[in-house]
Amino acid sequence: MGKHKYDYLLVGAGLFNAVFAREASKQGKKCLVIEKRGHIGGNLYCENIEGINVHKYGAHIFHTSNKHVWDYMNELCEFNHYINSPLANYKNKLYNLPFNMNTFNRLWGLNTPEQVKQKIEEQRLKIDNPANFEEQALSLIGTDVYQKLIKGYTEKQWGQDAKSLPAFIIKRIPIRFTYNNNYFNDPYQGIPIGGYNSIFEKCFEGCDIYANTDFFANKEIVKSANKTVFTGMIDQYYDYCYGQLDYRSLNFEHEVMNVDNFQGNAVINYTEREVPFTRILEHKHFEFGTQPKTVVTKEYSQEWRVGLEPYYPINTAENQEKFVKYEILANQQKNIYFGGRLGEYKYYDMDKTVEAALSLFKKMNGSHAYR
């Protein structure tokens, strides 16, 4: 450790740094964790309300095809057998997601894959070079599915008209010609029994943690550690010297309801543009709860600005060009490493976050790290 009190300063107490901290602790390294929020766990943090584990920052369903990652996570918690099967609500009619034979039967009353393929082909826009998101979607799926289940939801998510969104956003549309409502194709899937918080308590065990601590107001703290792993916004770290990267933000409205079951499903998307929220979550269904009350969350997509929480990097060519400049800057610096969605400006699923954290630790510490 040399002259430094800590081996690592970990900025942010989300999943990336939690996995990194666990690996560091296994090797007897000492970590200082600072977190601007009042709790550890990042966006996976759950709050217990009425005996229900409420996902405070949106639904998080762990899923992966990587058995190493699944085994790793199972050392930290026990998963239930929750299968993500969301619904879409359009004008008070419910449709299964992802688009499958149940969806098409509900839309058109058709029963066989052949009938559905024919219907989609009839409705498809025949165009070689779609100029925008709307044309691309219509060329892939046709009018009915697009108008009812894609258009409004996408416009709310991005905050603009579908005709002004680039075509590349939607390279393909997952269509199943089976009656299978399981949203993910991954073989491993579930929710930690009792919520996500216990994972973070285990991973950060033995670390010194300062919550409610803003890194940018306490930059001198880097001197207390040999190396820093930063999981905040890379553009903010460099004081936006190449300009701000773009993100989408979210807003959540949580409500306790005096009924035992509000909507009968954990996730229902609202696909009309006129309905301001994108989806309603009912948290007890993630863990098959039977509590007398329920907690629901309305989720709203919103434009990000400084001061709001950034959730989704907006992966345009212009943003990628900016990010590469920041990345070059980062690579020129010693003893500072960037990780996670914001540090690497990537839309990571949870399993990919775990993989990336293990990979960084291994790179920094040689072959003793988890493989």
Side-chain angles (χ1 to χ4, degrees), residues 62-350:
F62 196 91
H63 59 97
T64 187
S65 296
N66 185 330
K67 187 162 190 309
H68 281 305
V69 168
W70 183 246
D71 291 343
Y72 187 89
M73 293 303 292
N74 274 272
E75 292 173 13
L76 296 170
C77 68
E78 185 182 352
F79 285 91
N80 68 17
H81 57 282
Y82 176 83
I83 297 294
N84 190 30
S85 305
L87 296 165
N89 184 315
Y90 177 78
K91 297 190 184 295
N92 293 319
K93 281 193 174 177
L94 294 174
Y95 301 88
N96 291 99
L97 298 173
F99 308 135
N100 66 56
M101 289 300 296
N102 289 308
T103 322
F104 304 131
N105 180 268
R106 178 77 162 144
L107 267 173
W108 300 315
L110 302 177
N111 297 328
T112 70
E114 203 49 51
Q115 291 171 326
V116 170
K117 288 174 185 175
Q118 194 177 331
K119 187 76 170 176
I120 291 171
E121 191 54 36
E122 285 169 13
Q123 293 199 351
R124 253 184 7 91
L125 180 67
K126 311 301 190 288
I127 183 170
D128 289 332
N129 294 303
N132 55 52
F133 177 93
E134 180 158 294
E135 287 185 3
Q136 175 78 324
L138 286 170
S139 72
L140 291 169
I141 197 71
T143 48
D144 287 348
V145 175
Y146 174 70
Q147 292 293 342
K148 291 182 177 181
L149 302 179
I150 295 176
K151 179 178 163 67
Y153 189 85
T154 302
E155 290 179 340
K156 287 189 286 189
Q157 281 281 61
W158 291 90
Q160 51 186 296
D161 191 279
K163 289 190 186 75
S164 66
L165 290 168
F168 74 78
I169 290 174
I170 188 167
K171 291 184 171 67
R172 64 184 188 84
I173 294 173
I175 304 167
R176 288 189 189 145
F177 297 103
T178 60
Y179 290 89
N180 173 13
N181 297 323
N182 182 352
Y183 193 79
F184 301 117
N185 291 315
D186 298 310
Y188 309 110
Q189 180 177 172
I191 302 273
I193 294 170
Y196 283 93
N197 295 2
S198 64
I199 292 171
F200 294 92
E201 286 156 14
K202 282 183 187 169
C203 285
F204 289 126
E205 196 177 6
C207 300
D208 290 342
I209 301 171
Y210 297 164
N212 295 308
T213 302
D214 180 3
F215 171 78
F216 295 100
N218 299 274
K219 273 196 169 178
E220 290 293 300
I221 206 164
V222 297
K223 293 177 181 173
S224 63
N226 191 24
K227 294 175 181 174
T228 298
V229 179
F230 182 85
T231 61
M233 298 188 297
I234 190 169
D235 53 338
Q236 185 182 16
Y237 183 89
Y238 289 111
D239 203 22
Y240 307 108
C241 66
Y242 295 122
Q244 286 179 13
L245 294 167
D246 294 320
Y247 306 87
R248 286 297 285 173
S249 190
L250 296 170
N251 185 35
F252 303 97
E253 288 179 0
H254 307 287
E255 184 184 354
V256 178
M257 303 183 86
N258 203 17
V259 294
D260 68 343
N261 188 357
F262 170 70
Q263 64 184 18
N265 206 52
V267 183
I268 298 185
N269 293 355
Y270 282 74
T271 61
E272 290 165 74
R273 182 78 191 255
E274 294 70 31
V275 176
F277 45 86
T278 53
R279 58 184 181 174
I280 295 181
L281 313 177
E282 187 168 11
H283 300 268
K284 70 192 303 178
H285 298 308
F286 290 124
E287 297 187 64
F288 315 107
T290 57
Q291 298 89 342
K293 291 186 181 179
T294 195
V295 182
V296 301
T297 299
K298 286 179 180 170
E299 189 174 305
Y300 299 81
S301 182
Q302 60 182 16
E303 190 175 342
W304 176 83
R305 61 178 188 276
V306 174
L308 291 179
E309 201 62 44
Y311 285 91
Y312 303 110
I314 298 177
N315 200 355
T316 61
E318 185 187 350
N319 280 318
Q320 273 309 308
E321 279 174 30
K322 276 187 211 168
F323 170 69
V324 167
K325 290 180 184 175
Y326 285 118
E327 197 174 33
I328 290 166
L329 213 51
N331 290 336
Q332 289 167 352
Q333 278 195 276
K334 278 186 177 176
N335 302 330
I336 170 79
Y337 301 85
F338 294 84
R341 272 189 185 187
L342 306 181
E344 297 177 67
Y345 201 67
K346 274 184 190 166
Y347 182 79
Y348 274 135
D349 282 331
M350 286 181 279

Side-chain angles (χ1 to χ4, degrees), residues 13-19 35 37 39-47 53-63 73 76-77 79 190-192 194-200 203-204 252 283 287 311 341 348-351 353-354:
L15 185 59
F16 189 98
N17 273 343
V19 171
E35 167 57 54
R37 291 172 175 167
H39 57 75
I40 60 175
N43 291 341
L44 299 182
Y45 174 72
C46 296
E47 184 178 341
N53 292 306
V54 174
H55 296 209
K56 288 290 281 187
Y57 305 99
H60 288 92
I61 299 113
F62 196 91
H63 59 97
M73 293 303 292
L76 296 170
C77 68
F79 285 91
I191 302 273
Y196 283 93
N197 295 2
S198 64
I199 292 171
F200 294 92
C203 285
F204 289 126
F252 303 97
H283 300 268
E287 297 187 64
Y311 285 91
R341 272 189 185 187
Y348 274 135
D349 282 331
M350 286 181 279
D351 63 329
T353 302
V354 173

